[in-house]
Amino acid sequence: MPVSLATTVASIPFPTCVYNASGPRTGSSAAMSKIATSRSGGVLAKSATLASQPGNPLPRTWNDNDELASLNSEGLPNAGIDYYIKEQTIMETMGDNNSDNNKPYMVSISGHKLEDNLEMLRKIASSEKSSSSNRSIAAVELNLACPNVIGKPIIAYDFEQMEHVLEQVSALYDGSDDSLSSLPPLGIKLPPYLDGPHFERAAAILNKYKHVVKYVATINTIGNAFAIDMHAEMPVISSKGGFAGLSGKAVKFTAMANVRKLRELLSEDIDVVGVGGITSGQDAFEMILCGATAVQVGTCHWTEGPSCFDRICQELEHIMEAKGYTTIQQFSGKLKPWSKEGAKIARLANSSKKSKAKDQKQQQQSLKQSSSSKSTTSIDFYQILSAILSVVVAILLADKFQLV
């Protein structure tokens, strides 16, 4: 039976469970169309503000040479909400009505203040109601987690403010205004939580509004990271004194903890989408095992481009085939408790992996030595041949000039 990566988020069908995070390579329809033609399960647009804005001064991104971590302090550069909800943008991204691309197109909003977010939701509802295309906005991701807007706090760390925002957004969804009846399902982008009581408080607020909040995406970057250029003796990021959001492989373990804990605490009505440090099929598998129904890829998409979705999906399929899974639902959220039996399986697997690596190294060395030996033999042969020819030539010349 073939392996399927299909899933649903907020009851929206996705052909694969791997798709892009809002941020890198999502600012324009030209960039997003490349995501749409990859194996990404959907397309999520860049976090939009009410009006377009350029973001923070350059340089605002940095990549570790070992690709273990990245920093960014972009400050939400974007084309404005009107661009991302425009019918033309969606068509340019996803294809026209005759296209067989059935992936969901989603928008992300991150207003400077509550009224901005409410106004953007009204605009989305109006756009959906007046659209003549069957290319609609499948979901809205409300970003309550951005750490990189100068002078603005992370809303989801201020639990009173977070509850107030969700209360107002919920009122918009629950209202009797028919013009808002076409609002798409709502997701919430969350920052990383590091303390047990914070997980509990955030989950309690989200559960209170589970009739409106249909999924959470966790985590955003870890705020206030710092890196230095040793040669110049200065920060690598120009704005905010060099402080920036940490992403990439380094955040994977914090991201998995957030997925795991929130899946334990949230209502089953709220899906969990795992984000942070995903660069391989194994990363995706582990995140889904922790309870994610889908995963988003950000930094890897930035550094590798849209081809990363094809590769990660293929790697995940190979893992599932090796383990006998045919759907992600068969292992999503089914992490086993630690046990001696499990530890034994892990030791055997690691031992086998090391043994294979050792064998490969020995094979490479053997091939290298064989190549070197052949090369030496070849050199010796030509040296002998050259010496013989030199002697023959010398004898012929001596005979010709009667030197002997």
Side-chain angles (χ1 to χ4, degrees):
M1 189 173 179
V3 167
S4 170
L5 300 185
T7 190
T8 60
V9 177
S11 298
I12 302 162
F14 284 65
T16 73
C17 58
V18 182
Y19 68 107
N20 71 288
S22 178
R25 301 176 184 266
T26 56
S28 68
S29 59
M32 291 189 290
S33 66
K34 295 175 183 177
I35 302 170
T37 55
S38 75
R39 289 197 67 189
S40 176
V43 180
L44 177 59
K46 196 168 188 68
S47 284
T49 47
L50 199 53
S52 64
Q53 61 182 42
N56 293 340
L58 300 173
R60 57 195 183 197
T61 59
W62 172 82
N63 250 328
D64 174 49
N65 288 334
D66 295 327
E67 298 185 349
L68 295 176
S70 295
L71 295 184
N72 86 78
S73 181
E74 289 203 305
L76 296 176
N78 72 95
I81 188 62
D82 289 339
Y83 173 79
Y84 298 106
I85 64 175
K86 191 164 56 175
E87 195 169 306
Q88 180 183 348
T89 301
I90 300 174
M91 298 280 271
E92 288 173 352
T93 298
M94 308 302 295
D96 60 26
N97 291 337
N98 296 319
S99 168
D100 59 359
N101 187 342
N102 61 350
K103 298 175 181 178
Y105 173 82
M106 300 152 283
V107 295
S108 171
I109 61 174
S110 188
H112 290 294
K113 53 188 178 181
L114 173 58
E115 184 50 45
D116 286 358
N117 284 324
L118 297 178
E119 180 60 24
M120 284 191 280
L121 286 170
R122 294 187 191 101
K123 282 177 172 283
I124 291 166
S126 175
S127 172
E128 286 298 280
K129 206 167 186 67
S130 61
S131 175
S132 59
S133 168
N134 61 6
R135 294 291 187 200
S136 61
I137 297 168
V140 180
E141 190 168 287
L142 173 59
N143 185 354
L144 300 184
C146 185
N148 299 320
V149 179
I150 297 172
K152 301 291 181 182
I154 296 175
I155 293 172
Y157 282 158
D158 180 345
F159 294 117
E160 289 183 4
Q161 186 182 10
M162 178 181 174
E163 181 156 16
H164 178 63
V165 167
L166 290 181
E167 180 183 23
Q168 295 299 307
V169 170
S170 177
L172 207 62
Y173 271 81
D174 293 340
S176 57
D177 189 342
D178 287 342
S179 66
L180 301 175
S181 61
S182 55
L183 272 170
L186 181 71
I188 304 294
K189 184 67 172 286
L190 293 173
Y193 294 112
L194 305 174
D195 195 17
H198 293 167
F199 282 111
E200 292 166 4
R201 184 76 187 277
I205 294 169
L206 292 163
N207 285 335
K208 183 176 178 180
Y209 297 98
K210 65 182 181 180
H211 63 293
V212 172
V213 177
K214 296 304 177 185
Y215 78 89
V216 297
T218 180
I219 59 173
N220 203 343
T221 56
I222 299 176
N224 293 319
F226 200 83
I228 291 172
D229 185 312
M230 185 193 74
H231 305 289
E233 300 180 11
M234 67 179 188
V236 296
I237 300 291
S238 66
S239 61
K240 294 183 67 183
F243 292 93
L246 176 68
S247 63
K249 293 179 181 179
V251 308
K252 171 188 166 183
F253 306 100
T254 299
M256 286 198 299
N258 275 256
V259 168
R260 179 65 173 167
K261 198 64 181 174
L262 287 171
R263 183 63 285 160
E264 289 175 352
L265 295 172
L266 288 175
S267 164
E268 288 299 318
D269 295 329
I270 302 175
D271 289 325
V272 177
V273 176
V275 197
I278 295 174
T279 64
S280 68
Q282 179 178 331
D283 296 332
F285 179 83
E286 291 173 358
M287 200 74 81
I288 294 166
L289 200 60
C290 285
T293 56
V295 299
Q296 293 179 1
V297 182
T299 301
C300 184
H301 176 213
W302 170 33
T303 57
E304 187 178 331
S307 62
C308 72
F309 300 110
D310 300 14
R311 177 182 58 78
I312 292 171
C313 283
Q314 186 178 58
E315 289 173 0
L316 178 56
E317 286 171 338
H318 289 163
I319 290 169
M320 290 171 62
E321 286 170 356
K323 287 179 169 288
Y325 295 122
T326 55
T327 69
I328 70 162
Q329 291 75 24
Q330 291 171 344
F331 63 92
S332 177
K334 296 179 180 172
L335 187 67
K336 298 170 185 175
W338 189 92
S339 67
K340 290 182 178 179
E341 293 78 9
K344 184 178 179 181
I345 292 171
R347 281 195 302 272
L348 290 171
N350 289 329
S351 177
S352 175
K353 188 176 180 181
K354 287 179 182 178
S355 179
K356 286 180 181 178
K358 186 178 179 180
D359 289 343
Q360 287 176 348
K361 188 175 180 180
Q362 288 175 341
Q363 286 175 0
Q364 288 171 353
Q365 289 175 340
S366 177
L367 287 170
K368 189 176 180 181
Q369 289 170 354
S370 175
S371 176
S372 176
S373 175
K374 287 178 181 177
S375 177
T376 302
T377 302
S378 177
I379 291 171
D380 290 345
F381 170 77
Y382 285 114
Q383 285 176 340
I384 293 168
L385 181 62
S386 178
I388 292 171
L389 288 172
S390 297
V391 170
V392 170
V393 169
I395 292 171
L396 290 173
L397 288 172
D399 181 61
K400 180 176 182 181
F401 295 105
Q402 299 181 347
L403 296 176
V404 293

